[in-house]
Amino acid sequence: MSTQAQIRSTRPPTATAATGKPHIVVKNLTMAYGSFVLMREINFTVRHGDVFIIMGGSGCGKSTLLRHLIGLKEPATGEIIYDDVNFTRADPQTREQMLRRFGVLYQGGALWSSMTLAQNVGLPLGEFTDLTPSQIREIAALKLSLVGLSGFEDFYPSEISGGMQKRAGLARAMALDPEILFFDEPSAGLDPISSSLLDELILELRDSLGATVVVVTHELASIFSIGNNCVFLDADSRVQIATGDPNDLLANSHDPRVRKFLTRGKDKGEEGKSA
Amino acid sequence: MSQAVNIGTQGTVSFTRSETSLLIKLSGPWNLTKDVPSPAALRRELESDARLKSVSFDTSTLTHWDSGLISFLVQASATCRARNIQQDRIGLPVGLRRLLELAEAVPEKKGTRSAEVKAPFFERVGKMTIGYGLSVSDFMTFLGDLTVAFSKFVRGQARYRKVDLVEVIQECGASAVGIVTLISFLVGVILAFMGAVQLSQFGASIYVADLVCIGMTRDMGAIMTAIIMSGRTGAAFAAKLGTMKVTQEIDALTTMGISPMEFLVLPRVIALVLMMPLLCLYADFLGIGGGMFVGVGMLGLSVRNYLQETIATLTLTNLFGGLFKATFYGLLIAIAGCLRGFQCGNSSSAVGDAATQAVVMSIVMGVVACGLFAVVFNVIGI
């Protein structure tokens, strides 16, 4: 009972669908490794409640863009704004507070290997809340049950399968009831069924937590089933070549590169074709 | 005109020339695991006559083929293209033809192969100098971050798990006792032997006790413990943090708003700085024990005499000087290990490199510091 109360009290009730208010605004972002420019002039807006997809071919900088969004890499130029607060220029304290509103699921789960699943999920709770150890454990168990891992509290990450590690990573990402969930290639290394279950889980969490979701992926099935907004990065021209709802892009985009990607190369994207 | 290049019982290639065309006859088993003919003979044949306009293939006696033949033909067709020679592939097996087309479907992307251009001497010197400059600035940044983290720790605001601290303390304290015992006892024995050879010539064997006592407490105890700990704990720190970097565990901490500096580095530095003087003290006594083993066992000194001489020589200045040095070496080892771990690249071999570099860096820094201490202690008269 107390656990439920804690959960409720930690976050205000939020709307369940996209409310249209900008949540993340990326302005003229240029990403570079040293003098090597990876992507130029990226501009997009993610609204509250969006499931926003970052897509593009392998090696185009999708994961790097995600690393910029979560502050692991600094932009060469441009800025990233969360809810009118400039993340790029924020001072360390503000930044740390903003980070606490993010939940990140890394490609390989990135669970802390020397801790059990319950400790993994409980660590942020222990650091940032005044909960007692037994309350933390209860909440950790609850979060693990949300991702279907009840009973695995005392397992170490190395003792469970890759799919389970990913779900445990998701439970940890949700530990502090984040406002924005970031997913780096959530379906990489998962079988089709686990991958579609994870997609459902993402939507479920978006609706129940009212969170905004940003997903890096190139899985077409996920893109069409969960995404309602996207940015498409092109490795050759090193700029973004499309934004918007992926289903709209499939129906209306004239860009041959976008069409080719969204149709698994079946549509060669004849320019002369009428849309 | 016909000639054959025969390689034992394996696949063979032979050429038949007419005015402007060349018939390449491939026969026998072309098996990659055995030896296949080199494309050089074919290239010579193609380049021998400028009038050559087309090549065709005869594979009627070819019994087996694999990648060895494809590679041969890909190189042949590159030469043909360069010399504008038509290729008629009708004579090749269908599967082979498809694989050739596949290999040539995507033309080589220009600029992807790294050019083997050797930079001029001064450019290389300049780049290395800048590289060293950057590594010094990385080191300073790390030191600064560590200082900030430590000041937070002192004020009780640092985020770390006490259980981690205790675990690291056990790992670099209690668990290291065994190897420190062995090494420092032997160092005592070695010191005693070195002294005994000279001193017994003057009938002054009893001074072996002085030599061992001063040697161990002043320098050898500290530096030997430091060398053991760099190999043992410094490498372990680098490997552990490097692996956490590769698996993105450090990123996960950062995006949680937990500083890896406080959470990972601080407990390690504190643990090693606390444990090094204790291990050094232990090593001092073991070393003296080793010296006594030689003195009593080989030089015929009595235990009582040896101990008396040792106690008379033992000064707190030397003892605490050694412990102070050990503490400082501990700091260096922990910093080197953690810094190299953080700088680790994103592959499993990078973790190994990080561990190696951590050991090298901490031993080098330790020995340099030891030399500096010797000079400074001498100047200030300790």
Side-chain angles (χ1 to χ4, degrees), chain B residues 342-358:
Chain B
F342 271 6
Q343 290 173 341
C344 177
N346 275 327
S347 66
S348 48
S349 67
V351 175
D353 292 345
T356 312
Q357 286 170 0

Side-chain angles (χ1 to χ4, degrees), chain B residues 27-61:
Chain B
S27 45
W30 278 64
N31 196 339
L32 191 60
T33 54
K34 307 286 193 290
D35 217 2
V36 294
S38 135
L42 175 59
R43 202 174 301 136
R44 269 199 306 280
E45 191 67 30
L46 289 171
E47 289 171 353
S48 63
D49 193 342
R51 288 172 303 163
L52 196 58
K53 284 284 166 273
S54 69
V55 295
S56 52
F57 300 91
D58 176 3
T59 52
S60 51
T61 50

Side-chain angles (χ1 to χ4, degrees), chain B residues 151-297:
Chain B
S151 72
K152 273 187 163 180
F153 171 77
V154 171
R155 282 177 284 147
Q157 294 170 352
R159 294 184 196 287
Y160 68 100
R161 294 202 311 163
K162 299 213 169 42
V163 51
D164 282 347
L165 178 61
V166 174
E167 225 165 68
V168 186
I169 285 182
Q170 185 194 345
E171 180 49 37
C172 64
S175 308
V177 164
I179 186 146
V180 170
T181 309
L182 177 72
I183 301 289
S184 45
F185 185 83
L186 289 178
V187 168
V189 169
I190 293 164
L191 275 181
F193 263 121
M194 287 191 329
V197 172
Q198 302 301 322
L199 292 170
S200 56
Q201 288 179 6
F202 306 104
S205 309
I206 188 65
Y207 288 111
V208 165
D210 299 47
L211 175 79
V212 172
C213 175
I214 295 175
M216 283 310 291
T217 51
R218 203 178 159 97
D219 266 319
M220 292 310 282
I223 195 75
M224 289 316 291
T225 315
I227 288 173
I228 296 165
M229 294 313 276
S230 356
R232 205 184 167 281
T233 308
F237 285 179
K240 166 88 185 174
L241 297 192
T243 312
M244 289 186 76
K245 177 113 191 271
V246 173
T247 55
Q248 295 187 303
E249 288 174 50
I250 291 183
D251 289 346
L253 280 176
T254 312
T255 46
M256 283 278 172
I258 299 171
S259 153
M261 197 54 91
E262 293 167 27
F263 195 80
L264 298 172
V265 177
L266 201 58
R268 286 176 167 74
V269 172
I270 292 173
L272 202 53
V273 164
L274 287 180
M275 287 303 108
M276 272 296 283
L278 294 185
L279 286 174
C280 174
L281 189 66
Y282 177 72
D284 289 350
F285 283 111
L286 261 292
I288 290 170
M292 193 163 77
F293 174 74
V294 173
V296 174

